[in-house]
Amino acid sequence: MLSIAAINPKFNTMILFSNRNAWLYLTFLFIGLNACSSEMPLEEPQATEVANQRLSPVPASGTVMMQAFYWDVPAGGNWWEEVSTKIPSWNHAGISSIWLPPFSKAQNGPYSMGYDPMDYFDLGEFNQMGSVETRFGSKNELLNLINTAHTYNIEVIADIVINHNSGGNLEQNIFTGTNTWTNFTPASGKFNRTMYDFHPNDQHTHDWGVFGGYPDLCHHKTYVQDWLWKTDYSVANFYKTIGVDGWRFDYVKGFEPWVVKDWIHHNGGFAVGENWDGNAETLEWWANEANASAFDFACYYAMNDAFDGNDLNKLNSDMLWKRNAYKAVTFVTNHDTDEIWNKNLAYAYILTHEGYPCIFYSDYEEWLDKNKLNNLIWIHNNLATGNTSILYTDNDEYVARRNGYGSAPGLVVYLNNADFWQERWIETNWSNTAIKDYSGHSAWMPTTQSGKWVKIQAPPKSYSIWSIK
């Protein structure tokens, strides 16, 4: 048995339970009853109704994140208003933060997804790059969205693109001997840039990475640092004044991790970096150097191999959340990559394990069963506590236990990738205690033995999640 000691009170232990009603934590003891009988027939049970309401407002730091966009959301300036209408239901489901796309004016104006930034201070109020509004809407609509999110105690995470810029004018570049698109005179009148602010320049020729041939910002320049994060007139401080609570840093392979660390030092807030690397050790190194969280690509690729490759032993692989759950943002898909087909098992995995899970907008609103996702969010926010012990794996079975924290009970999750019902004896956190499947997939309500053992089951290509009744 592999035990992973990484209790995460910020994201899904102590904070989550500080405001919960006491009834959730009571353990009902039944002395003398055996666990689920081995003679119980293995047959498809009737689904049971599972409570799916929040007991109290979820704290606004580190519970479940919603990526509130997908690639090529409808153009026309209505996206901020669309997302605003979702906030009440997302709050009711247990979402505690929303990650918004880059919201400043970009080169492609009303058609841009924001990853080609031109004017960081134009949030949809200046007539440049072919429009006043951005693809997503106006500045006032953005501010209304942020205020609505805060009304419901939901944090706003801004997508920050600071590796590269786009939309500048041509200038004769003395460092390249050619004409380059490095002369930026944004309509906001803030953060004008020239060849001296990009690579190569009079300070050095390059940094860690260039993206798409765009002009590559030089973060060693004091002028660039001051305008991006160090001063009261910086981009970071401007975003803070409109209500931004945290940061998602795009393409962090393009600049050194000290940039993110210094940004957080001057401005605070939760931060997560997109370090697109499947090596858990590399992710941990970057997160430590940047003093930030990282998207757990190691977990993502392991889930793809496990669920789509029909080998759940792959879930024994090294992942960032196993090394440091405080630093791991887990996810099933995002706007850039969508490889996992068996998403139901993947969401059951990230919403019962340690780390800070992120749900993709299209999965939640369009592609998957919203009620099942809401149920998993409820389970995550109310039951998924303590460190993790992996109890059993084979090609199509995976069983893990969250060991609870304080009075919080923990859970057992059983993932079944086979085409038929399966059952297994496992060791729980509880002796002589009635338990049930909070996913509603199994009607069994067994009682654990005095030695904490019990038999549980899981439906084909699905999961069950067990905790105290």
Side-chain angles (χ1 to χ4, degrees):
M1 180 180 72
L2 171 65
S3 294
I4 305 162
I7 297 174
N8 187 353
K10 177 180 178 184
F11 290 156
N12 46 21
T13 53
M14 289 189 295
I15 289 181
L16 290 177
F17 286 85
S18 61
N19 296 319
R20 301 299 179 195
N21 293 348
W23 67 268
L24 180 63
Y25 315 130
L26 295 178
T27 303
F28 298 96
L29 301 180
F30 295 86
I31 307 299
L33 295 177
N34 288 328
C36 179
S37 170
S38 60
E39 299 178 358
M40 182 174 288
L42 184 62
E43 59 184 9
E44 181 171 344
Q46 297 298 313
T48 56
E49 183 177 353
V50 178
N52 192 31
Q53 73 274 11
R54 290 172 57 188
L55 304 181
S56 62
V58 173
S61 290
T63 308
V64 179
M65 182 191 305
M66 175 69 73
Q67 181 177 352
F69 66 100
Y70 53 92
W71 196 256
D72 283 345
V73 301
N78 298 315
W79 190 248
W80 297 144
E81 293 177 312
E82 176 69 17
V83 173
S84 293
T85 67
K86 305 291 185 183
I87 294 296
S89 62
W90 290 352
N91 167 74
H92 182 74
I95 300 298
S96 65
S97 64
I98 56 172
W99 159 22
L100 299 182
F103 41 62
S104 58
K105 189 68 62 65
Q107 178 182 11
N108 288 318
Y111 307 106
S112 175
M113 285 297 298
Y115 292 94
D116 51 342
M118 187 273 181
D119 188 344
Y120 289 101
F121 294 87
D122 181 2
L123 306 182
E125 60 177 325
F126 297 100
N127 189 1
Q128 60 180 333
M129 301 292 108
S131 68
V132 174
E133 293 189 347
T134 66
R135 182 189 191 102
F136 313 113
S138 68
K139 178 181 179 180
N140 286 337
E141 289 164 347
L142 172 62
L143 296 181
N144 179 68
L145 166 57
I146 294 172
N147 290 335
T148 301
H150 288 167
T151 298
Y152 286 92
N153 204 27
I154 290 177
E155 288 191 338
V156 175
I157 298 173
D159 206 320
I160 303 299
V161 186
I162 57 172
N163 175 72
H164 52 274
N165 289 168
S166 186
N169 296 313
L170 276 174
E171 64 178 341
Q172 178 63 38
N173 192 318
I174 63 174
F175 304 109
T176 66
T178 63
N179 291 329
T180 55
W181 302 93
T182 48
N183 185 8
F184 287 77
T185 54
S188 66
K190 299 177 181 179
F191 196 17
N192 294 339
R193 284 146 278 167
T194 68
M195 69 187 89
Y196 290 93
D197 305 310
F198 299 92
H199 297 111
N201 56 41
D202 56 339
Q203 189 159 342
H204 50 69
T205 60
H206 65 278
D207 62 1
W208 284 25
V210 177
F211 181 81
Y214 292 123
D216 188 51
L217 273 171
C218 178
H219 301 92
H220 289 269
K221 286 282 189 173
T222 300
Y223 177 81
V224 173
Q225 294 176 14
D226 286 347
W227 271 110
L228 285 180
W229 73 85
K230 272 193 171 181
T231 62
D232 290 342
Y233 55 79
S234 68
V235 173
N237 193 62
F238 174 55
Y239 286 6
K240 284 170 58 181
T241 62
I242 66 169
V244 166
D245 304 292
W247 324 96
R248 180 267 184 187
F249 288 91
D250 180 67
Y251 189 61
V252 299
K253 285 189 173 183
F255 48 90
E256 297 95 326
W258 67 261
V259 173
V260 173
K261 183 176 182 179
D262 205 42
W263 182 296
I264 299 168
H265 171 73
H266 284 277
N267 300 283
F270 170 79
V272 57
E274 182 210 28
N275 191 344
W276 198 324
D277 197 304
N279 186 292
E281 183 177 5
T282 300
L283 295 173
E284 182 185 36
W285 169 84
W286 183 89
N288 289 337
E289 290 294 310
N291 193 30
S293 296
F295 286 102
D296 197 345
F297 280 92
C299 176
Y300 172 77
Y301 287 118
M303 289 193 298
N304 184 54
D305 292 342
F307 301 133
D308 293 349
N310 198 37
D311 184 4
L312 270 56
N313 290 304
K314 297 294 186 180
L315 297 178
N316 291 319
S317 302
D318 195 8
M319 304 178 193
L320 178 58
W321 75 258
K322 295 180 182 181
R323 289 171 169 260
N324 189 340
Y326 286 102
K327 301 288 190 180
V329 176
T330 54
F331 66 101
V332 174
T333 188
N334 62 31
H335 62 292
D336 285 325
T337 182
D338 189 7
E339 296 183 21
I340 298 173
W341 287 96
N342 198 337
K343 292 184 177 181
N344 289 324
L345 288 180
Y347 276 111
Y349 182 84
I350 69 168
L351 286 162
T352 54
H353 285 66
E354 293 164 78
Y356 187 174
C358 180
I359 295 177
F360 185 51
Y361 179 95
S362 297
D363 286 343
Y364 185 84
E365 293 291 343
E366 300 174 13
W367 296 338
L368 301 182
D369 187 326
K370 186 182 294 187
N371 291 328
K372 289 184 178 180
L373 285 174
N374 284 343
N375 172 245
L376 287 171
I377 295 169
W378 186 92
I379 288 169
H380 174 271
N381 291 349
N382 292 277
L383 301 175
T385 58
N387 62 2
T388 302
S389 298
I390 299 176
L391 304 180
Y392 180 83
T393 62
D394 62 22
N395 283 357
D396 52 27
E397 288 179 271
Y398 172 90
V399 186
R401 184 179 68 225
R402 294 295 297 276
N403 293 309
Y405 187 85
S407 59
L411 56 78
V412 173
V413 56
Y414 188 173
L415 307 180
N416 177 17
N417 206 28
D419 294 323
F420 46 85
W421 281 85
Q422 298 204 79
E423 60 183 25
R424 184 158 296 281
W425 282 90
I426 52 92
E427 186 179 12
T428 72
N429 297 324
W430 321 287
S431 297
N432 303 314
T433 303
I435 65 172
K436 75 173 196 175
D437 172 22
Y438 276 82
S439 75
H441 293 152
S442 172
W444 283 9
M445 293 190 182
T447 299
T448 62
Q449 296 179 336
S450 58
K452 300 183 180 180
W453 285 80
V454 71
K455 183 189 284 186
I456 58 176
Q457 64 172 187
K461 298 295 182 182
S462 190
Y463 55 88
S464 56
I465 302 168
W466 305 81
S467 190
I468 60 175
K469 184 179 176 182

